[in-house]
Amino acid sequence: MDQDLLHLWGNFLSELQKTEISPITYDTFFKQLSPIKLENDTLFINTPTSFIGEHICNNESYHRYMVDIFNRLTEKNLNFKFLVGDAPYNSFQTSSQDQLYERSRLNPKYTFDTFVVGKSNEFAHAASVSVADSLEKANANPLFIYGGVGLGKTHLMHAIGHFVLDRDPKKKVLYVTSEQFTNEFINSIRTNKNEHFRHKYRSMDLLLIDDIQFIADKETTMEEFFHTFNELYAADKQIVLTSDKPPNTIPKLESRLISRFAGGLVVDIAPPDLETRIAILRKKSDAEGFQVPDDVINFIAEQVQSNIRELEGALSRVTAYSRLTTGTISIKTASLALKDLYREQTTKPITPEAIKKVISRHYNVSLEDLDSKKRTRSIAYPRQIAMYMSRQYTDLSLLKIGETFGGRDHSTVIHAYEKVSEDVENNPSLNAKIHQMIREVKGEL
Ligand SMILES: Nc1ncnc2c1ncn2[C@@H]1O[C@H](COP(=O)(O)OP(=O)(O)OP(=O)(O)O)[C@@H](O)[C@H]1O
């Protein structure tokens, strides 16, 4: 086979693995493909079964990843034709609506319509809708969304972009990760195009920057971002940022940026509760046209608890596995499909009570003292760690956690969470200790 084509395909696969495509989806679908030939901007791809080709063609975000990555690698907008054996099977081409989204780098799948709202994300969702709906006013500027991996921050950010563009396609909207921002900035210096870079970013109506925590250790990029931010802010242009932590706990982030971020609207997304996970799976399976029985949806939702990206990956794996084996989706096929990935839930549930017991043992503090009003450091700090763990490892709201610690209010829990998050970042041994304690809570040690 053409070595250049093989090389291109290898680069595509390794780029794809850096995206949000889950390892399960990658193994189940993309790894099975192989390139045949590249002819007149059309890439012919072999798929072992029509199901795999169909699955990829019907999924707009997979399409987007393919278009984006090949565009970067070849500087061309390729079309793709899938073949099963030698028979033409299916193809997709880039439409003008796609081009608009492509300019803004928005994923067509991430809209408010496809976002399931539950207790864990309702505030972040409401804030995002309000920002999108009143763009001109830029009342909450910046909107800063933070939370753990795979919980929907990027999705909400894109949804804001879609809402704005659907209402007015002339608006200048741009989504970038902080890594892309950094790379473009560095390239602009290298190629003497810094003015162009500045003009591009500073003329946006809506700038969406994902994973902003990654610019914190890059001083010159941070400086550039600071000026971009100020200019957009002064012109009442909306900025939306996401991060894995709140602004004041991002290590090495300059204090002038912390105060600007905190001056906008800061909202968090927590891991979804069971009901929300079920609703997400139902919505995804309906959207993909999968007929998944309720008991299987419940089963998957119970297996995959903390991360929505993994939840989606598990659903894809179950449907693919069922179709390729028995042809029907049942609890039996689902548990076989997931058996290597998720051990049966034999661990104990994580609750504030169980956390307090472990903390009490490790720090030699009584359970009564953890709930008491005592503020000596030897009691207050273990209490703060227990609150942090309750926030980090359970679905409970701040209010509920406060209640279980002797009726404290939610701001005390936020304060404890932020303080301990910062300590965890700066102190690897505390981080390790918390991991060990959580394993004890789960009964694994
Ligand atoms: N509430 C939701 N409803 C429907 N789908 C969701 C929801 N939240 C997340 N998802 C889906 O889960 C996947 C991961 O979400 P997303 O990429 O937005 O997470 P993230 O918080 O930005 O993660 P990371 O920190 O890793 O970048 C996406 O496919 C997204 O569509």
Side-chain angles (χ1 to χ4, degrees):
M1 189 190 296
D2 178 350
Q3 286 305 312
D4 289 346
L5 182 58
L6 270 185
H7 186 67
L8 175 66
W9 186 254
N11 287 341
F12 161 68
L13 289 180
S14 54
E15 287 300 308
L16 190 67
Q17 289 178 77
K18 292 181 201 152
T19 68
E20 285 160 357
I21 296 250
S22 70
I24 304 174
T25 303
Y26 175 80
D27 284 348
T28 316
F29 300 105
F30 287 95
K31 228 171 115 182
Q32 315 296 330
L33 305 176
S34 53
I36 300 170
K37 60 179 175 181
L38 180 57
E39 206 173 77
N40 302 332
D41 291 353
T42 297
L43 180 60
F44 292 80
I45 300 169
N46 178 272
T47 154
T49 65
S50 55
F51 169 68
I52 291 181
E54 186 186 328
H55 187 82
I56 294 177
C57 288
N58 288 341
N59 187 312
E60 285 179 29
S61 60
Y62 298 167
H63 176 194
R64 177 112 326 277
Y65 283 124
M66 294 186 72
V67 171
D68 283 352
I69 295 174
F70 278 109
N71 183 290
R72 257 183 285 136
L73 295 175
T74 63
E75 296 184 352
K76 285 180 188 156
N77 264 339
L78 296 188
N79 297 314
F80 304 94
K81 277 200 192 308
F82 287 85
L83 284 84
V84 183
D86 286 335
Y89 173 66
N90 208 337
S91 61
F92 45 66
Q93 298 184 342
T94 311
S95 72
S96 62
Q97 184 66 8
D98 278 345
Q99 278 163 9
L100 177 63
Y101 292 152
E102 197 171 314
R103 254 204 322 276
S104 306
R105 304 191 192 157
L106 296 179
N107 181 331
K109 274 193 113 179
Y110 293 173
T111 64
F112 285 128
D113 285 343
T114 56
F115 191 84
V116 174
V117 184
K119 279 196 207 101
S120 57
N121 58 29
E122 61 187 350
F123 187 33
H125 173 262
S128 303
V129 172
S130 148
V131 158
D133 193 30
S134 50
L135 190 76
E136 313 296 342
K137 299 195 191 113
N139 284 336
N141 211 6
L143 172 63
F144 190 102
I145 308 172
Y146 73 91
V149 171
L151 296 182
K153 303 181 294 294
T154 306
H155 188 136
L156 273 183
M157 200 177 217
H158 284 239
I160 298 172
H162 283 300
F163 188 101
V164 167
L165 280 179
D166 289 349
R167 193 181 262 180
D168 181 357
K170 291 201 198 70
K171 284 276 183 255
K172 288 185 157 183
V173 173
L174 183 63
Y175 164 85
V176 281
T177 62
S178 66
E179 200 187 349
Q180 284 165 333
F181 181 87
T182 306
N183 290 344
E184 273 185 49
F185 172 57
I186 294 171
N187 281 340
S188 76
I189 298 176
R190 196 172 46 81
T191 54
N192 282 330
K193 289 194 177 146
N194 195 233
E195 269 318 302
H196 176 259
F197 173 88
R198 286 195 172 148
H199 177 73
K200 171 178 158 187
Y201 277 92
R202 296 178 192 187
S203 64
M204 287 297 149
D205 295 306
L206 170 63
L207 180 61
L208 310 160
I209 303 196
D210 213 352
D211 289 327
I212 195 70
Q213 74 273 13
F214 291 130
I215 65 158
D217 55 355
K218 302 179 184 80
E219 268 177 40
T220 334
T221 310
M222 219 176 351
E223 175 79 25
E224 180 67 28
F225 174 73
F226 179 72
H227 295 298
T228 306
F229 183 98
N230 284 345
E231 203 147 310
L232 290 172
Y233 185 87
D236 277 343
K237 302 298 184 188
Q238 181 70 45
I239 304 150
V240 181
L241 306 168
T242 71
S243 162
D244 60 350
K245 4 180 144 42
N248 56 346
T249 63
I250 300 178
K252 299 194 189 150
L253 186 66
E254 282 181 12
S255 52
R256 56 186 183 166
L257 277 177
I258 296 181
S259 74
R260 272 164 183 74
F261 293 173
L265 178 59
V266 180
V267 292
D268 77 326
I269 301 194
D273 54 23
L274 180 67
E275 271 175 4
T276 313
R277 296 200 299 277
I278 291 175
I280 290 173
L281 286 171
R282 179 49 66 213
K283 191 154 193 151
K284 299 271 170 201
S285 59
D286 290 351
E288 305 282 340
F290 300 149
Q291 307 287 325
V292 188
D294 283 344
D295 58 347
V296 174
I297 294 273
N298 291 355
F299 173 78
I300 302 173
E302 272 161 15
Q303 297 287 310
V304 188
Q305 302 197 350
S306 58
N307 178 330
I308 299 172
R309 189 173 299 120
E310 280 185 19
L311 199 62
E312 290 179 341
L315 176 69
S316 293
R317 190 173 169 103
V318 167
T319 52
Y321 183 87
S322 307
R323 287 205 198 179
L324 293 171
T325 53
T326 57
T328 48
I329 302 175
S330 65
I331 292 270
K332 186 156 182 237
T333 49
S335 52
L336 282 171
L338 301 182
K339 80 173 176 345
D340 298 335
L341 299 170
Y342 304 100
R343 279 187 292 138
E344 268 183 47
Q345 300 290 312
T346 51
T347 55
K348 296 185 193 153
I350 303 176
T351 61
E353 286 65 37
I355 290 173
K356 282 188 222 170
K357 276 189 198 149
V358 172
I359 289 277
S360 149
R361 224 172 32 239
H362 274 265
Y363 289 90
N364 211 9
V365 187
S366 70
L367 291 174
E368 294 71 44
D369 278 350
L370 285 176
D371 287 349
S372 74
K373 302 274 173 245
K374 291 184 191 165
R375 297 174 66 172
T376 43
R377 189 175 153 81
S378 60
I379 297 173
Y381 194 54
R383 184 188 295 133
Q384 286 182 322
I385 297 180
M387 287 183 185
Y388 166 86
M389 288 168 65
S390 304
R391 175 72 177 143
Q392 188 80 340
Y393 297 103
T394 73
D395 294 345
L396 298 176
S397 66
L398 296 167
L399 209 72
K400 197 89 209 145
I401 295 172
E403 277 169 17
T404 62
F405 282 83
R408 289 177 157 77
D409 66 19
H410 78 290
S411 61
T412 312
V413 184
I414 295 183
H415 174 70
Y417 179 76
E418 292 180 349
K419 159 121 195 47
V420 178
S421 300
E422 197 176 342
D423 293 350
V424 165
E425 279 294 331
N426 297 324
N427 180 351
S429 66
L430 176 62
N431 191 7
K433 180 162 184 167
I434 289 179
H435 274 103
Q436 184 194 333
M437 290 193 292
I438 208 70
R439 291 189 65 195
E440 285 177 33
V441 171
K442 292 200 273 184
E444 291 175 359
L445 292 180

